[in-house]
Amino acid sequence: MTRLTRAIRSVFAALPLAASLVLAQDTTTIPPISNLPDAPSASQTKFDGVPIGVATSEVRRLTLDEAIQLGMEHNVQLIVARQQQRSLHGQVGTALQAITPNMSIQGTANRAEINLAAQGFSPSKAGKLLTAFGIPASAIPSIVKVDTVTAQVNLQQYLFNMPAIEVYRAAKSQQQVADLNTATVRGDVVLQVGTTYLGILADAANVTNNQALLKQEEEVLRQSQAQHDAGVGTNLDVLRARSQYQQQQQALISAENALAKDKISLNRLIGLPANQPIELTDIVPYSELAQMALPDAKNLAYQRRKDFLRLQAQIRVYERQRRAIAYERLPALSFEGNYGVTGGYIPNAAASGLYHGTFSAMAKLDVPIFAESRFRGDRQVADAQLESLRNQIADLRVGIDQQLRSAMLDVTSTSERVKVAGSNVELAGQALRDTIDRYQAGVDDNLPVVQAEAQLAAAQSQYVSANFQYNQAKLQLARNTGVVETQYKTYLGRN
C-alpha cells in the first residue's frame, strides 16, 4: 500500500473523529447586556423578638451596659441587618463577575459508535474513487468506533461594557447603604433596651415606695384598732384605715405586676428566656444635661444620623443605576476563545493516538437597535426613584429639625418636672408626719392622715414618672442627634 493510499484511508477514517469534535465543541457565550444582574438593594424590614435560650434558676445581675451589649448580640433586628450585609456583599461579587475575565478548564472523554451510512457516506458509491487510490471499498467499515479526549482552557471577557461597570459601582455603593442600615438598627436597639431598662428601674422604685406606704398604712390601722379597743377611737376610723390599707395593697400588687411584665419585655429584647430571673444593678440615673444650641444639634444630626446618611448613600446608588441605563445604548465588545489539545483512538487509522493543538478566538460586538422603548421605560423608572428619594431626604431634613425641637422641649420640661416633683415629695412627707403627730396627740381623727398618705403616694409616683420621662427624653434626644449608641452614658450622666 502506497503512502498516498494510507493517507487517504486515514482521512476517511478521521471523518467520525471530526464529527465528534464538532458535537463536543464548547458553546458557552457571554451573556448579553440585558441579562446583567441588577444592583442589589437593602431591605428595611424590621423584626421584633430574639433567639430563646435556656432559663436557669440563678438570678442574672445586669448593668445597663451589659443589657445593651446582650441586645447588640442577640436582637433579631440586628441579626437580620447583618445577614442583609452579607447578602449584599455576595451580590457585589456577582456584579463584579460581569466585568472580570471568566476562565475555565474543560476536559472531555468521548466514546462513540458512528454509522457512516446513516450519515450519507456509502463506501460502495465511492468505490471507483477508492479503487483509483488503491483502496478497496471493503476496507472502509460502515460502522466506526471512535474514542476521543479533549482538554482546553476557555476565556471570556467583556472588553467594553459600560452598563456592567456602572452596575458594579452601584453594588459597591449599596454596601455602604447596608452598613448604615445596620448602624441605624444598632441605635434603635440601644434606645429600646435603654428605655426598657430605665422603665424597670422606675417600676422597682414604685414597688419600693408602695411597700413603704403599705407598712405605714398598716401602722395607722394598728393604732386605729388600738384606740377603738381602748374606747377613745371610733369604728369609722378603723374602717377608714382598713380601706386605705387595702387600697395600698392593690397599688402594690399593680406595681409588682408592672415590674414583672417589663422584665419579661427586657428579656425578650436582649435574648434571655422570658422566665429567666434578672436583677438590675444600676440605680436610677439623674444628672443635668447641658444642651447644645439647636443649629449645632442639627449640624451634628446631619453628620451622624445613620438614616439620613443612608438615604444620601441610596441616592448615589440610584444615580449609578440611572447611568447604567443610559449606557445601555452603547455597544458592548466582548471576546471569547479557547485553546486545547484533542486526540483519540481510531482502529486501523494512521492518526490514531496523536494529539493536536486546537484553538478558537472570536470577538463579538453587541449593538442594541430596536430597544428604545425599554431604555425609555427604564429611565422613567429610575427618574421616579431618584425623585422619590430626594423628596424623602428633604422630608427627613425637616423631620430632624422637628424631632430635635420636640426632644429639646421634652428634656427641658421633664427636667423642671423632676425638680418640682422632688420638692413635692418632701412637702407631702412633712405634711404626713405632722398629720400623724396630730392624730397621735388626739387632736384630729385619722381622715387627715389618710388624705396625707394619698398625697404622698401621688407625689412619689409623679416623681418616679418624671425622673423616668427625663431620662427617656435625654435618650430620645441622643437618638435624634445620631449619637445614642456612642454617647448614651454621657446623656444619662453615667460617666
Side-chain angles (χ1 to χ4, degrees):
M1 183 180 296
T2 64
R3 182 179 300 177
L4 179 60
T5 302
R6 288 196 300 268
I8 294 176
R9 180 173 295 177
S10 298
V11 170
F12 281 102
L15 287 176
L17 174 60
S20 65
L21 292 179
V22 172
L23 293 175
Q25 181 67 33
D26 180 29
T27 58
T28 304
T29 58
I30 298 177
I33 298 176
S34 59
N35 291 336
L36 292 175
D38 295 331
S41 59
S43 173
Q44 305 303 323
T45 303
K46 293 185 177 181
F47 302 90
D48 292 325
V50 292
I52 302 299
V54 179
T56 62
S57 58
E58 182 180 358
V59 177
R60 182 157 187 174
R61 298 169 58 85
L62 291 174
T63 64
L64 176 59
D65 296 341
E66 291 171 344
I68 290 177
Q69 182 61 35
L70 286 174
M72 293 292 188
E73 294 174 357
H74 301 295
N75 191 274
V76 167
Q77 296 183 30
L78 263 177
I79 293 175
V80 172
R82 294 189 189 107
Q83 296 307 316
Q84 289 174 352
Q85 280 184 291
R86 292 183 59 190
S87 175
L88 288 171
H89 292 172
Q91 293 183 46
V92 169
T94 301
L96 177 63
Q97 186 60 51
I99 60 175
T100 54
N102 182 12
M103 181 176 291
S104 63
I105 298 176
Q106 179 181 1
T108 61
N110 182 40
R111 169 169 289 186
E113 186 173 287
I114 303 174
N115 190 331
L116 298 180
Q119 297 186 9
F121 177 77
S122 176
S124 60
K125 295 181 179 180
K128 295 182 179 180
L129 178 62
L130 295 175
T131 303
F133 289 96
I135 302 174
S138 58
I140 306 297
S142 60
I143 297 178
V144 179
K145 294 182 179 180
V146 180
D147 292 334
T148 58
V149 177
T150 301
Q152 64 183 30
V153 178
N154 304 309
L155 175 65
Q156 302 169 345
Q157 171 66 55
Y158 269 116
L159 302 178
F160 179 80
N161 190 348
M162 289 304 298
I165 295 174
E166 290 299 329
V167 167
Y168 170 66
R169 290 173 177 172
K172 290 191 66 176
S173 298
Q174 193 67 56
Q175 284 184 312
Q176 184 181 8
V177 176
D179 296 340
L180 291 170
N181 179 62
T182 301
T184 300
V185 178
R186 289 174 63 90
D188 291 341
V189 170
V190 172
L191 179 62
Q192 293 173 9
V193 174
T195 301
T196 305
Y197 192 100
L198 294 174
I200 294 176
L201 293 181
D203 292 338
N206 278 329
V207 169
T208 301
N209 291 336
N210 280 283
Q211 288 173 342
L213 286 173
L214 184 63
K215 290 182 179 180
Q216 195 163 338
E217 297 291 353
E218 185 179 9
E219 177 62 22
V220 172
L221 176 60
R222 186 192 64 79
Q223 293 179 5
S224 298
Q225 186 66 50
Q227 291 180 359
H228 177 268
D229 295 341
V232 294
T234 64
N235 186 54
L236 178 61
D237 290 341
V238 177
L239 294 176
R240 188 184 295 125
R242 188 174 299 279
S243 175
Q244 184 66 22
Y245 175 75
Q246 291 179 349
Q247 289 182 11
Q248 191 58 49
Q249 282 182 317
Q250 295 178 30
L252 177 59
I253 293 172
S254 297
E256 290 175 340
N257 182 64
L259 174 61
K261 289 171 63 177
D262 284 346
K263 284 185 176 181
I264 293 174
S265 298
L266 180 61
N267 284 352
R268 181 165 177 79
L269 280 175
I270 63 178
L272 298 179
N275 58 338
Q276 172 65 48
I278 60 174
E279 178 184 351
L280 308 190
T281 59
D282 286 359
I283 61 174
V284 178
Y286 176 78
S287 66
E288 293 288 341
L289 177 65
Q291 296 191 44
M292 64 178 66
L294 179 61
D296 296 334
K298 289 169 61 176
N299 291 333
L300 180 61
Y302 295 148
Q303 298 173 7
R304 302 292 296 274
R305 282 278 293 260
K306 304 304 186 294
D307 51 350
F308 186 75
L309 298 177
R310 184 185 64 206
L311 290 178
Q312 291 181 325
Q314 191 68 51
I315 280 281
R316 293 190 290 272
V317 173
Y318 284 166
E319 288 175 344
R320 293 190 182 279
Q321 288 181 331
R322 188 179 182 277
R323 282 199 292 269
I325 292 171
Y327 289 149
E328 281 188 324
R329 292 182 171 86
L330 299 178
L333 179 62
S334 61
F335 167 83
E336 61 180 287
N338 64 72
Y339 176 81
V341 292
T342 301
Y345 171 74
I346 305 175
N348 302 322
S352 178
L354 296 180
Y355 288 86
H356 300 279
T358 60
F359 73 91
S360 68
M362 180 181 69
K364 179 182 177 182
L365 183 64
D366 190 351
V367 182
I369 298 178
F370 298 106
E372 186 63 26
S373 178
R374 177 172 62 85
F375 296 157
R376 293 182 180 181
D378 291 344
R379 180 168 181 174
Q380 289 177 356
V381 172
D383 289 343
Q385 290 175 336
L386 275 172
E387 186 63 24
S388 175
L389 201 57
R390 292 191 180 104
N391 290 334
Q392 292 180 45
I393 291 178
D395 178 71
L396 182 57
R397 185 180 291 273
V398 176
I400 288 175
D401 179 66
Q402 176 265 326
Q403 292 169 4
L404 288 174
R405 291 177 185 271
S406 298
M408 288 180 173
L409 289 174
D410 288 341
V411 170
T412 302
S413 64
T414 52
S415 176
E416 296 299 322
R417 282 186 57 195
V418 169
K419 296 176 183 178
V420 175
S423 176
N424 193 29
V425 169
E426 294 179 0
L427 294 175
Q430 183 61 46
L432 177 60
R433 288 190 292 271
D434 293 345
T435 304
I436 291 176
D437 292 341
R438 289 174 60 85
Y439 171 67
Q440 292 175 344
V443 178
D444 284 330
D445 58 12
N446 67 351
L447 178 59
V449 175
V450 172
Q451 293 174 341
E453 289 173 341
Q455 291 175 354
L456 177 60
Q460 289 176 335
S461 177
Q462 290 172 0
Y463 176 75
V464 171
S465 175
N467 202 3
F468 167 71
Q469 291 176 3
Y470 179 49
N471 288 320
Q472 185 182 30
K474 290 191 291 184
L475 277 181
Q476 189 63 54
L477 178 60
R479 172 66 179 83
N480 293 342
T481 312
V483 296
V484 66
E485 181 183 352
T486 56
Q487 299 184 24
Y488 70 91
K489 295 181 182 180
T490 303
Y491 276 72
L492 292 178
R494 299 181 61 250
N495 286 342

